[in-house]
Amino acid sequence: MKALSVATFVLGLGLASFSQAQNVSLTTTNWAPYYGDNLEQGGFISVIVSESFKASGYQSELEFTQWTEAMRQVKVGEKDVLVGAFYSDERAQDYHVSIPIYSVFSGVIKHKTLDLDFYSSYEMLDQYKIGKIEGAVVGQSFDSYTFTQLQPYAGTEAGITALQKGEINLFADNLTVVKSAASKLGFEPSHFAMVQPPIEKNDLYVMISKEIANSEKIRDDFNTGFVMIQSNGTYEKILKQFNQL
């Protein structure tokens, strides 16, 4: 695990003072290029979240760990906030969910050696061995289908390593994340492609533990801060800084 003091982020935007800031503990996993412990300032989603909290008077510290562990820590109140999660009704029972902060496409990713460019049904996909991140939400329709050869992996790097080796045929994730992980592992990113169509366009949220004090207020304050950084131009500046526009 690696802790990142989000309070040290420097954007030169002067949003709020930390003189009387309330502390919140954040956690997530490595999911580059959106967030990760090896990215500049933890990745642009991490910066968006920290600046949203800062705008409402909070100081935050982000720690990276395995995804199921991050969810567990927030669920039981060991950490306050889960960063960058997809929504599901099941998750909404355990966490207070923010307004959406960014959107990404999820889909099934193949290696170029697989002769499959399009699919028309999940029944068709069920002929293949499919991997996904353990505990991850892929999409409502995908997650509700009972795949017979679905295998969990600790993270994207483990999943695409299995894909590269031919241990699985497909990996359910975001293509940008897969290519980033492939490059880090020394695989050729262009050898990975999304089978069309994408499964779903998913919003990213922060999710606040229901087991901590003032959890709904923290959620509402985050939402207020996020609207503030959108209206004052900070959100756009962050995206430009990280070449996301």
Side-chain angles (χ1 to χ4, degrees):
M1 295 186 290
K2 182 176 179 180
L4 181 65
S5 179
V6 187
T8 63
F9 288 159
V10 178
L11 292 171
L13 300 170
L15 283 177
S17 169
F18 282 127
S19 59
Q20 295 181 336
Q22 177 179 337
N23 294 323
V24 287
S25 58
L26 318 178
T27 186
T28 190
T29 193
N30 288 304
W31 205 54
Y34 301 105
Y35 37 85
D37 59 13
N38 63 340
L39 300 176
E40 178 189 355
Q41 301 182 84
F44 73 94
I45 294 297
S46 301
V47 178
I48 287 170
V49 172
S50 70
E51 292 297 323
S52 298
F53 274 121
K54 186 193 293 187
S56 287
Y58 291 79
Q59 183 172 356
S60 55
E61 183 172 300
L62 176 61
E63 184 174 87
F64 294 88
T65 187
Q66 199 268 334
W67 182 242
T68 53
E69 176 61 12
M71 290 194 299
R72 185 200 67 79
Q73 289 177 354
V74 177
K75 181 178 178 179
V76 302
E78 292 178 8
K79 297 287 186 181
D80 300 325
V81 180
L82 183 67
V83 173
F86 293 164
Y87 177 87
S88 73
D89 291 339
E90 181 180 1
R91 288 179 177 177
Q93 295 177 18
D94 297 319
Y95 314 95
H96 292 301
V97 183
S98 73
I99 57 179
I101 61 173
Y102 197 73
S103 297
V104 299
F105 281 101
S106 59
V108 285
I109 314 302
K110 70 162 193 170
H111 190 269
K112 70 171 187 176
T113 54
L114 181 66
D115 185 18
L116 177 69
D117 295 317
F118 301 93
Y119 72 96
S120 57
S121 66
Y122 289 143
E123 287 81 3
M124 180 178 174
L125 288 183
D126 200 28
Q127 303 173 49
Y128 301 92
K129 294 179 180 178
I130 305 175
K132 60 167 284 190
I133 297 174
E134 183 178 10
V137 167
V138 177
Q140 183 175 359
S141 59
F142 182 94
D143 294 334
S144 62
Y145 186 85
T146 304
F147 287 95
T148 57
Q149 302 184 81
L150 191 63
Q151 302 180 38
Y153 290 88
T156 301
E157 291 183 14
I160 65 168
T161 297
L163 189 60
Q164 174 81 15
K165 292 179 177 180
E167 296 171 0
I168 55 175
N169 309 115
L170 300 166
F171 186 69
D173 206 323
N174 171 269
L175 181 59
T176 302
V177 172
V178 165
K179 288 190 172 186
S180 177
S183 180
K184 180 180 177 182
L185 292 167
F187 303 150
E188 174 51 54
S190 65
H191 289 177
F192 299 90
M194 182 180 290
V195 181
Q196 297 298 314
I199 292 170
E200 198 165 300
K201 184 179 182 181
N202 284 307
D203 291 324
L204 289 174
Y205 301 84
V206 300
M207 298 188 177
I208 293 87
S209 174
K210 290 185 177 182
E211 297 300 317
I212 62 173
N214 301 317
S215 57
E216 290 185 84
K217 182 179 186 301
I218 293 172
R219 188 269 316 278
D220 294 343
D221 287 345
F222 173 84
N223 288 344
T224 298
F226 180 70
V227 172
M228 288 171 63
I229 71 166
Q230 286 185 307
S231 62
N232 67 17
T234 300
Y235 185 85
E236 183 176 0
K237 288 179 181 179
I238 294 169
L239 295 181
K240 286 182 177 178
Q241 178 187 344
F242 286 85
N243 299 312
Q244 297 299 318
L245 287 179

